[in-house]
Amino acid sequence: MVVSIIGIGLLGGSFALAVREKYPKMRFIGVDTSPVNGQLAMAKGIVDDVMPLPEAIAQSTLVVLATPVNVIIDMLPAVLDHLPPGATVLDLGSTKGLICDVADAHPKRAQFVAAHPMAGTENSGPGAAFKELLFGKNLIICDREKSHPDSLTLAESLFRDVGMKLFYMNPQEHDLHLAYVSHLSHVSAFALGLTVLEKEKDEQAIFDMASTGFSSTVRLAKSSPAMWAPIFDQNRQNVSQALADYIDFLQQFKQIIDDQDVTNSLDFMQRANVIRRVLDGIEKR
């Protein structure tokens, strides 16, 4: 089996490393606009070869689109155009609505599987890839009924083989839920990082005074802007609504603090503490 990874970064590289661990005889081809990324991916054993896109697709049983979501939308029609009969293409994008719309308009829609591994770090590039990234994490597949059974089975089998837990929903549900549980977290981290940088001009002071709490809260602000700007754009309606809801709670909390209302401050935080029970339940699944 030959697998092409289009965009040899954290997610695509980690997928390749995890699958290679299970199936060492599989051949992996990398496609990337950066020659440095291609060389690093080969040096790390992520891929066996680096090739131009048309040449890679022609040899592939499976094509994995692991680029930023705007690039996935641009590339998907051409990838499907050149996809060999019986081969499968899947994407790993963090938005699904527009990507699925593009796939739905193509005559080879059945050879496509829309997938989103709920895994990542604030780091990017093939150097950040590691084979354990996907283990124990959730995977969302959208519009599975539109994928050919063989393509769906292949994707499901590989993701289960690397230890992922599979869930299914439509693209609209996916994008709405992800706006709140993923995209909003990144917006908040970017805004927090910028707030501190603007108010604390002395960068050494930030380094000296920052606690582990600050570091963990702002960690996502180190994420790749090239990846996240297209996500925010493609899911802008849901992200905007999530931000409006978040801003409303921030304004409520600000008013409580301005009013020196300790009773409501405690109540506000105690209601938020319910998230501990929710997250503990998720981790025990």
Side-chain angles (χ1 to χ4, degrees):
M1 181 173 171
V2 179
V3 180
S4 284
I5 307 294
I6 317 301
I8 323 168
L10 169 68
L11 201 51
S14 296
F15 174 82
L17 289 172
V19 174
R20 188 189 287 279
E21 180 87 353
K22 292 287 184 178
Y23 301 101
K25 293 184 179 180
M26 275 192 188
R27 180 175 171 231
F28 289 84
I29 300 173
V31 178
D32 202 286
T33 56
S34 167
V36 174
N37 281 355
Q39 292 169 7
L40 181 55
M42 289 186 66
K44 281 195 67 172
I46 294 172
V47 298
D48 301 296
D49 300 288
V50 176
M51 298 182 183
L53 181 64
E55 188 177 344
I57 294 174
Q59 302 180 41
S60 297
T61 311
L62 174 65
V63 177
V64 180
L65 290 172
T67 64
V69 290
N70 58 320
V71 180
I72 291 174
I73 285 179
D74 290 341
M75 294 183 69
L76 183 55
V79 171
L80 286 169
D81 284 343
H82 296 95
L83 198 66
T88 297
V89 58
L90 63 86
D91 85 288
L92 306 181
S94 294
T95 61
K96 281 290 166 277
L98 293 179
I99 292 172
C100 287
D101 286 345
V102 170
D104 289 347
H106 199 280
K108 293 184 180 178
R109 170 62 183 85
Q111 291 177 253
F112 172 71
V113 178
H116 178 200
M118 298 289 292
T121 72
E122 70 274 22
N123 302 312
S124 59
F130 59 102
K131 67 178 185 292
E132 300 87 1
L133 176 68
L134 303 178
F135 183 80
K137 304 299 196 306
N138 296 335
L139 175 92
I140 299 171
I141 293 179
C142 292
D143 286 347
R144 61 175 166 172
E145 71 282 356
K146 296 181 180 180
S147 298
H148 189 282
D150 291 345
S151 291
L152 181 63
T153 298
L154 173 62
E156 290 175 328
S157 297
L158 289 178
F159 285 120
R160 286 196 179 105
D161 286 343
V162 300
M164 301 201 78
K165 296 173 282 189
L166 273 56
F167 297 85
Y168 304 90
M169 59 183 65
N170 66 49
Q172 293 73 35
E173 291 173 323
H174 171 278
D175 287 358
L176 175 61
H177 295 323
L178 266 292
Y180 284 88
V181 301
S182 174
H183 304 169
L184 179 60
S185 300
H186 284 80
V187 173
S188 300
F190 284 123
L192 176 58
L194 193 57
T195 299
V196 173
L197 287 171
E198 285 295 309
K199 296 300 181 182
E200 296 286 350
K201 299 296 185 181
D202 185 347
E203 294 184 14
Q204 186 61 43
I206 296 174
F207 179 79
D208 291 340
M209 300 299 293
S211 65
T212 55
F214 174 77
S215 297
S216 61
T217 304
V218 81
R219 174 181 62 85
L220 295 177
K222 296 185 286 185
S223 300
S224 167
M227 182 180 79
W228 280 98
I231 292 172
F232 298 148
D233 180 56
Q234 288 192 17
N235 201 22
R236 56 187 173 274
Q237 290 183 330
N238 291 321
V239 172
S240 178
Q241 184 58 57
L243 267 172
D245 294 340
Y246 184 47
I247 290 168
D248 182 55
F249 278 110
L250 288 175
Q251 289 174 331
Q252 289 181 40
F253 208 1
K254 180 181 183 302
Q255 190 62 54
I256 288 169
I257 292 170
D258 289 345
D259 292 344
Q260 298 179 293
D261 190 342
V262 176
T263 299
N264 276 324
S265 178
L266 285 167
D267 177 68
F268 191 100
M269 290 183 283
Q270 286 168 348
R271 285 187 290 141
N273 276 170
V274 173
I275 201 70
R276 180 195 298 271
R277 174 178 56 79
V278 174
L279 293 177
D280 285 348
I282 290 172
E283 290 172 359
K284 290 175 183 177
R285 286 184 187 178

